[in-house]
Amino acid sequence: LKKYRIVFLLGVGMLPRNVQEHIDYLKNFGVDAVTFEWPKLEGEMASFKAQADWLNQQVAKPSILVGHSLGHLVGLQFVHDYPEKIVAFLGSGGPTRSHNDILPTDLVELLRKIEKSSDEDGYQHLAQRFRVPRVLAQTKGGIGAMARIYLAHLLPPTPDYFENLYRGLTENLPTHFLYGLNDRTVIRGVGMSAVF
């Protein structure tokens, strides 16, 4: 591990301080580790491809990538597009498949409405009706960006989008992915987080 930098990719609403303890712990053993705060996830930056291209500007040398949730999915896209910059990839909690049987159409409809509402109006509406989760307050770009991210998790461009990325990974690249049984646990969690 001392030969390479470890890059932590954060999930939605996470801040660099959420992984600082891990970074400090690794430094005790002489391991270089960093993280990046995502830019506003709006406009073109709402796509995994654009986020991976942005990440390419941050990662200067071959590194070990550790991504959680959104970080898992952007990391997967990054490893697929820029394999020469990655020594190994560990992803956790990144839903990678759509399941229509647990994705009620009214949830997708709700997310699409939230996505189109202005961030400030939508945030105030939720703040008045519910105890707003911290993840919402910490998501750069506000509620509209969060809805776009959830939609990208739940409705990728094609049903096999992420599976094709997995299949396209370099064969000699060490990778490990950790998520719920058949992705259902994670997908359900993402959907319920979006509702509440």
Side-chain angles (χ1 to χ4, degrees):
L1 288 177
K2 292 179 183 178
K3 285 175 63 177
Y4 302 103
R5 168 178 273 186
I6 296 178
V7 178
F8 289 101
L9 299 183
L10 304 175
V12 177
M14 289 177 70
L15 297 173
R17 68 171 180 258
N18 298 131
V19 295
Q20 192 59 50
E21 187 178 331
H22 302 299
I23 290 172
D24 294 340
Y25 183 78
L26 288 165
K27 282 184 182 169
N28 291 336
F29 296 93
V31 177
D32 181 29
V34 297
T35 191
F36 306 105
E37 193 169 341
W38 293 115
K40 278 194 175 183
L41 303 175
E42 56 189 14
E44 183 186 284
M45 280 303 293
S47 81
F48 296 125
K49 183 88 172 106
Q51 291 160 28
D53 291 342
W54 174 86
L55 185 60
N56 182 45
Q57 304 303 311
Q58 320 307 313
V59 178
K61 57 186 180 180
S63 304
I64 296 170
L65 204 60
V66 179
H68 173 67
S69 188
L70 174 66
H72 176 153
L73 299 181
V74 176
L76 177 60
Q77 181 79 56
F78 180 78
V79 173
H80 179 271
D81 295 351
Y82 302 99
E84 70 282 358
K85 287 202 171 178
I86 297 299
V87 177
F89 176 46
L90 169 65
S92 72
T96 53
R97 193 177 298 129
S98 250
H99 291 291
N100 293 333
D101 57 325
I102 58 166
L103 287 181
T105 50
D106 53 348
L107 168 59
V108 174
E109 229 173 80
L110 172 65
L111 286 168
R112 286 192 168 134
K113 283 179 187 170
I114 293 174
E115 180 188 21
K116 290 173 185 168
S117 67
S118 81
D119 289 341
E120 189 55 35
D121 290 347
Y123 184 87
Q124 291 305 323
H125 174 71
L126 283 184
Q128 289 167 6
R129 291 196 58 198
F130 307 105
R131 185 173 168 214
V132 178
R134 188 181 57 192
V135 66
L136 174 59
Q138 292 177 178
T139 301
K140 274 196 168 183
I143 188 171
M146 189 180 77
R148 279 188 293 280
I149 293 163
Y150 282 137
L151 281 168
H153 276 62
L154 300 171
L155 300 172
T158 61
D160 58 354
Y161 183 79
F162 295 113
E163 289 173 31
N164 287 336
L165 288 184
Y166 283 124
R167 282 193 212 104
L169 294 182
T170 307
E171 282 185 25
N172 61 353
L173 176 72
T175 59
H176 181 71
F177 307 106
L178 179 66
Y179 42 80
L181 180 65
N182 296 326
D183 295 341
R184 290 170 185 268
T185 305
V186 175
I187 287 281
R188 188 178 291 278
V190 167
M192 294 311 292
S193 297
V195 169
F196 291 110

